[in-house]
Amino acid sequence: MAGLNEDAQWIVLMGFVVSFSLFFLAMVLNQSTVVGQTTAESVLDFPKNDIRDLRTVIIQSVYQENVDDSVINNDIVSIALARKGAIVNYSSYTQGSYTYINIHYDNGVTVYNETWASP
């Protein structure tokens, strides 16, 4: 820059400042897009309907009569693992006039635990 006059040096310097500023803004916008995308994906990944369906099937199976509970438990666990890739465990017990069901759902992203009680 020794051969340029002062006006030309000022123009080149401002060009560097503007290009660096644009590069910095592009990086900031790129990162904010990634953060927004992952946040939206985590909301979409919440398996609300899968948990509802599973919960309904478990509650119905607990109240069925003349059925082996271990067979139904194994079927629910294996189907949830094969179709949804989720680990499902549940247990039920009766205390007084209430029936309690403990439901655990884990698909690697979402962990859901519930204790359901019915009179």
Side-chain angles (χ1 to χ4, degrees):
M1 293 181 53
L4 298 176
N5 61 14
E6 292 206 16
D7 290 335
Q9 288 179 358
W10 184 252
I11 291 171
V12 171
L13 181 65
M14 290 308 291
F16 282 131
V17 169
V18 169
S19 64
F20 179 74
S21 299
L22 289 176
F23 179 76
F24 179 73
L25 285 175
M27 291 299 292
V28 168
L29 288 175
N30 186 26
Q31 292 300 316
S32 68
T33 304
V34 170
V35 169
Q37 180 181 1
T38 56
T39 304
E41 286 174 354
S42 67
V43 170
L44 292 176
D45 284 343
F46 184 72
K48 177 175 60 175
N49 291 329
D50 295 342
I51 292 172
R52 267 191 209 147
D53 295 341
L54 180 72
R55 184 177 177 270
T56 303
V57 169
I58 289 172
I59 291 170
Q60 288 175 353
S61 69
V62 167
Y63 284 109
Q64 286 183 352
E65 295 179 12
N66 302 326
V67 177
D68 188 9
D69 291 337
S70 64
V71 172
I72 292 178
N73 190 358
N74 291 338
D75 286 345
I76 289 173
V77 168
S78 62
I79 288 172
L81 187 60
R83 291 189 182 170
K84 301 293 181 182
I87 297 172
V88 175
N89 294 318
Y90 76 93
S91 62
S92 64
Y93 61 93
T94 303
Q95 186 176 17
S97 62
Y98 287 93
T99 300
Y100 295 94
I101 302 172
N102 295 321
I103 301 170
H104 172 75
Y105 177 91
D106 183 4
N107 67 352
V109 176
T110 303
V111 177
Y112 176 80
N113 292 305
E114 177 183 3
T115 300
W116 187 82
S118 168

